Amino acid sequence: MNHVNVTINGRQYRMACEQGQETRLLRLAENLESRIASLRTKFGEIGDQRLTVMAALMVADELVDSGQRIRGLEEELVALRDVRVVAAERARVTQTAVVNALNSASDRIEKMTRELNRPSHNGVAIG
């Protein structure tokens, strides 16, 4: 377990994190610090704890909104996958129908060619 010193609302905190997560933890702390500074600019000195709680609520609000958007996108993805499956099946059925139609047309053309190539006696085809 590694440790990182972060600054939140002007105070230093020593935080433990998994190896390789130090930069991420520092960025998260900087993000929270930036939100607190923005709130301080907007509302003035209303108390450190209150500013921290307000910033945490902003983050929580964004998290809830993001979760809802993700769920909506997941539902849309499932619907699109279902449409793709239906479209692929339709394409397969259409392809089979086209192949069958071409085979049938080919058979008719071959039959007509045989009929036309038969020798005729006195202009009458024997068949």
Side-chain angles (χ1 to χ4, degrees):
M1 196 57 55
N2 289 345
H3 291 86
V4 175
N5 290 325
V6 299
T7 302
I8 298 175
N9 201 16
R11 293 194 177 120
Q12 288 269 331
Y13 297 93
R14 182 173 164 89
M15 307 293 292
C17 65
E18 293 181 16
Q19 185 174 353
Q21 295 297 312
E22 298 86 358
T23 302
R24 180 173 173 81
L25 181 57
L26 287 169
R27 279 191 314 228
L28 291 170
E30 288 170 3
N31 181 279
L32 187 58
E33 179 67 12
S34 173
R35 289 170 189 266
I36 292 170
S38 175
L39 288 169
R40 183 175 283 115
T41 300
K42 188 174 182 178
F43 296 108
E45 290 297 330
I46 59 172
D48 291 345
Q49 191 172 19
R50 188 171 179 192
L51 286 171
T52 304
V53 169
M54 288 172 68
L57 288 172
M58 288 172 59
V59 171
D61 183 51
E62 288 178 13
L63 181 62
V64 168
D65 287 348
S66 295
Q68 290 172 342
R69 282 194 306 266
I70 288 170
R71 280 187 293 283
L73 290 170
E74 287 172 339
E75 290 170 5
E76 186 177 334
L77 180 60
V78 166
L80 289 172
R81 283 181 179 152
D82 291 345
V83 167
R84 186 188 72 198
V85 167
V86 168
E89 177 60 20
R90 249 190 237 143
R92 188 191 64 73
V93 167
T94 300
Q95 183 180 18
T96 300
V98 167
V99 167
N100 290 338
L102 288 174
N103 286 336
S104 176
S106 175
D107 291 344
R108 286 194 314 262
I109 290 169
E110 287 177 12
K111 183 178 177 185
M112 288 168 41
T113 301
R114 283 192 305 272
E115 290 292 324
L116 290 172
N117 287 331
R118 279 193 184 167
S120 65
H121 296 286
N122 299 330
V124 178
I126 301 173

